[in-house]
Amino acid sequence: MAKAKVAKRPTRDEFVLEEIGNQLAEAQQEQSEVVLTVWGRQEPTRGQIVKMDPRTGRVHVESNGETDKVPFMDIMSVNYPRD
């Protein structure tokens, strides 16, 4: 019996990763709310970037007083809310 295969995270080139990093840094600087598409999650993550931790590779997104620590490598896209 074959093991169920877990989908692997898509690989992105360094330009895409750099662009995502730049968008996150800009949003953090401007204290803008962002909507992150995160690999492996059904729902987008929405909130304000309060910290980017290079040591753990996680982006801290705060929303309604809760902090979600999202792995940078799992962030597929950064968008701004339309409302």
Side-chain angles (χ1 to χ4, degrees):
M1 194 164 128
K3 273 199 234 168
K5 277 174 73 178
V6 177
K8 286 204 342 222
R9 181 196 305 126
T11 54
R12 279 117 351 119
D13 66 32
E14 59 191 272
F15 299 109
V16 174
L17 294 173
E18 188 178 337
E19 181 59 30
I20 289 172
N22 291 341
Q23 289 176 314
L24 293 171
E26 193 178 301
Q28 182 183 20
Q29 246 176 354
E30 294 173 359
Q31 299 179 346
S32 306
E33 187 179 33
V34 292
V35 178
L36 304 178
T37 303
V38 182
W39 178 81
R41 296 189 187 184
Q42 294 292 317
E43 294 294 312
T45 299
R46 181 174 176 158
Q48 197 174 353
I49 295 163
V50 291
K51 180 180 179 186
M52 292 198 283
D53 191 337
R55 196 175 50 80
T56 61
R58 293 183 185 271
V59 177
H60 298 207
V61 183
E62 195 171 279
S63 179
N64 303 323
E66 301 271 309
T67 302
D68 189 356
K69 297 176 183 176
V70 181
F72 173 74
M73 292 305 286
D74 286 354
I75 297 172
M76 304 312 288
S77 70
V78 180
N79 295 292
Y80 293 93
R82 288 174 181 51
D83 50 35

